[in-house]
Amino acid sequence: MTETQWNGTVLYLLGIVQAIFVVVNANVWWSLGTNPRMLMVGVQPFCTELRELSPGQIRACQNHHDHMPSVGRGARLGITECQTQFKNRRWNCTTIEDDRTVFGPVIQIASREAAFMHSILAAGVVSAIARSCRDGELSSCHCSKALRPKELVRDWIWGGCGDNIQYGYKFGSYFVDLREKDKNHPRLSPELSRMLMNLHNNEAGRRAVYNYANVACKCHGVSGSCSLKTCWQALPPFKDVGKRLKDRYDGAVEVKFNKRGTRLIRKKRRFNKPTQDDLLYVNTSPDYCVANKTTGSLGTVGRECNRLSEGMDGCRLMCCGRGYNTFKRKLVERCQCKFHWCCYVKCRTCERIVDINSCK
Ligand SMILES: *[C@@H]1O[C@H](CO)[C@@H](O)[C@H](O)[C@H]1NC(C)=O
Ligand SMILES: *[C@@H]1O[C@H](CO)[C@@H](O)[C@H](O)[C@H]1NC(C)=O
């Protein structure tokens, strides 16, 4: 990946505050992740039928037809991880059925949440493509060709078939970013700021995978001795990628146009320039407290909260000061588990009544 590639997006001059809500073209490639046709094994829909693709992406699809199911799986991976990372937040990454944008209007505000979504989805595509290469599902890539890491123990063999993260990065950059590059936008326009922001965040997501490639090994040698190992390049666990991007979301950088209206720069200039790994956003998020059709906020009425927590999952913040209701719920669990020689575990079933709090 080139250092110069995104230097352009992050310049540090004085600027003008720009653009409140920017409405984007509703077709987004990541709805491939919720398109049931994409999730059927062995089915490759015609590219022109995939209304979620931009014109450039349709051509890319035609040239890389066999990649599309992996792109769909990557999007799915990103969506699922987003929901895990945000399950205790006011905005919890809810997908909206039959909505072409998957997330509804929320994602059309150039907010932190949109920044996170772009990064996690781009990261999902890198991961899914890298894995598909390894598994021999794609015609244009195979096992990783990554060089042997210098720190690998000398006796160990480098050469197992690894996840092709390099190819995943390359194809992911090409395909995902195409959607942003399909149009030319005028200087200072909200569409331009949106495009620069998305491109930057897509790249930050890919780097959260690419820069954290792991090494996995398998033992050989006399039974269990593990004196010899064969190793290969492996994807970082996607939950780690999610955690990393969630941290970047918490520290996301607010940006605005530079004076010439061609690049995005940090709004508070006394801090350092954002790096390629940072997430950028242009607009302040709504508070997501009450349902609002315009912003796409679903509100937090009825959300469960933790009475004892002072954090975002606590009732005070989650319910936005409206208070909460408490009710009882019966939990059925396995309990009093005993190990029997040899070899099984026997448990009883216990019921427990717990208090549940939910926002008014
Ligand atoms: C919804 O959000 C918009 C934009 O912030 C705001 O102008 C409007 O008043 C809100 N509507 C309601 C019903 O809260
Ligand atoms: C996410 O929030 C929505 C709207 O507040 C709610 O209906 C849904 O149950 C929440 N999902 C989870 C997993 O908490």
Side-chain angles (χ1 to χ4, degrees):
M1 72 187 66
T2 62
E3 279 291 323
T4 50
Q5 199 169 0
W6 300 123
N7 275 356
T9 60
V10 199
L11 230 128
Y12 40 99
L13 291 163
L14 266 171
I16 319 156
V17 185
Q18 181 66 36
I20 308 302
F21 299 149
V22 184
V23 175
V24 290
N25 168 3
N27 294 341
V28 293
W29 64 269
W30 61 58
S31 49
L32 291 180
T34 53
N35 182 336
R37 285 176 304 167
M38 297 305 297
L39 303 174
M40 283 187 253
V41 179
V43 175
Q44 293 180 5
F46 290 112
C47 299
T48 46
E49 274 175 23
L50 299 172
R51 306 254 303 275
E52 40 278 84
L53 299 183
S54 70
Q57 283 178 326
I58 291 175
R59 284 190 297 278
C61 169
Q62 285 160 343
N63 292 331
H64 301 273
H65 205 202
D66 59 349
H67 288 46
M68 291 305 115
S70 309
V71 171
R73 278 205 300 278
R76 178 99 243 138
L77 193 62
I79 293 168
T80 309
E81 183 58 29
C82 178
Q83 292 177 342
T84 307
Q85 291 295 335
F86 282 81
K87 68 173 185 294
N88 293 326
R89 312 278 300 218
R90 286 181 191 160
W91 178 73
N92 66 3
C93 211
T94 313
T95 53
I96 296 170
E97 227 166 292
D98 299 326
D99 183 298
R100 275 273 182 69
T101 66
V102 181
F103 302 101
V106 159
I107 218 70
Q108 300 184 14
I109 302 169
S111 63
R112 271 174 202 267
E113 288 73 32
F116 181 83
M117 282 316 315
H118 278 85
S119 69
I120 195 93
L121 287 158
V125 173
V126 176
S127 299
I129 295 279
R131 181 55 54 89
S132 295
C133 293
R134 186 202 78 173
D135 292 345
E137 289 170 7
L138 307 179
S139 57
S140 52
C141 63
H142 300 283
C143 309
S144 158
K145 295 196 193 91
L147 296 178
R148 182 189 175 91
K150 285 202 190 67
E151 61 280 8
L152 196 73
V153 176
R154 250 182 61 207
D155 293 344
W156 296 355
I157 299 163
W158 181 252
C161 181
D163 295 314
N164 198 336
I165 302 175
Q166 286 69 18
Y167 185 88
Y169 175 86
K170 204 174 98 192
F171 182 79
S173 313
Y174 162 65
F175 183 82
V176 173
D177 289 357
L178 261 181
R179 183 173 180 281
E180 305 296 336
K181 293 174 177 166
D182 261 2
K183 289 206 192 88
N184 280 323
H185 301 299
R187 238 160 52 90
L188 273 170
S189 66
E191 292 78 16
L192 180 64
S193 81
R194 176 101 206 175
M195 176 188 102
L196 295 173
M197 172 180 145
N198 291 348
L199 286 173
H200 181 100
N201 294 326
N202 289 346
E203 177 65 9
R206 289 188 289 266
R207 291 170 64 92
V209 177
Y210 185 94
N211 288 341
Y212 295 85
N214 274 339
V215 170
C217 300
K218 177 173 81 183
C219 287
H220 309 284
V222 196
S223 57
S225 74
C226 205
S227 52
L228 195 62
K229 287 187 182 186
T230 298
C231 306
W232 57 89
Q233 174 171 264
L235 282 164
F238 204 69
K239 66 175 172 25
D240 296 355
V241 174
K243 175 72 176 52
R244 194 169 298 130
L245 292 173
K246 175 68 175 345
D247 291 344
R248 303 257 154 77
Y249 163 90
D250 288 329
V253 177
E254 187 173 9
V255 292
K256 61 180 181 181
F257 270 126
N258 64 354
K259 225 176 196 167
R260 294 180 50 223
T262 50
R263 302 199 160 115
L264 297 176
I265 58 168
R266 191 189 269 275
K267 205 165 171 191
K268 297 201 174 92
R269 282 186 309 136
R270 62 201 149 87
F271 297 111
N272 291 337
K273 202 166 57 136
T275 70
Q276 288 181 293
D277 296 314
D278 285 318
L279 296 186
L280 309 185
Y281 68 96
V282 176
N283 299 135
T284 317
S285 304
D287 62 16
Y288 301 113
C289 282
V290 291
N292 183 322
K293 280 216 171 70
T294 313
T295 60
S297 162
L298 298 173
T300 62
V301 175
R303 288 286 301 278
E304 290 182 13
C305 58
N306 179 348
R307 193 169 56 83
L308 302 173
S309 165
E310 283 300 311
M312 275 316 299
D313 63 331
C315 293
R316 204 173 60 83
L317 288 177
M318 180 66 84
C319 307
C320 309
R322 295 184 306 261
Y324 56 90
N325 298 314
T326 303
F327 57 96
K328 308 271 184 212
R329 180 181 290 162
K330 188 157 68 178
L331 287 187
V332 180
E333 304 173 302
R334 278 150 57 94
C335 61
Q336 295 175 20
C337 294
K338 279 209 187 94
F339 179 77
H340 290 263
W341 186 264
C342 182
C343 292
Y344 64 98
V345 175
K346 208 170 172 188
C347 299
R348 302 174 60 131
T349 311
C350 300
E351 287 183 355
R352 196 155 62 90
I353 307 285
V354 291
D355 282 341
I356 300 287
N357 307 299
S358 78
C359 294
K360 284 186 179 165

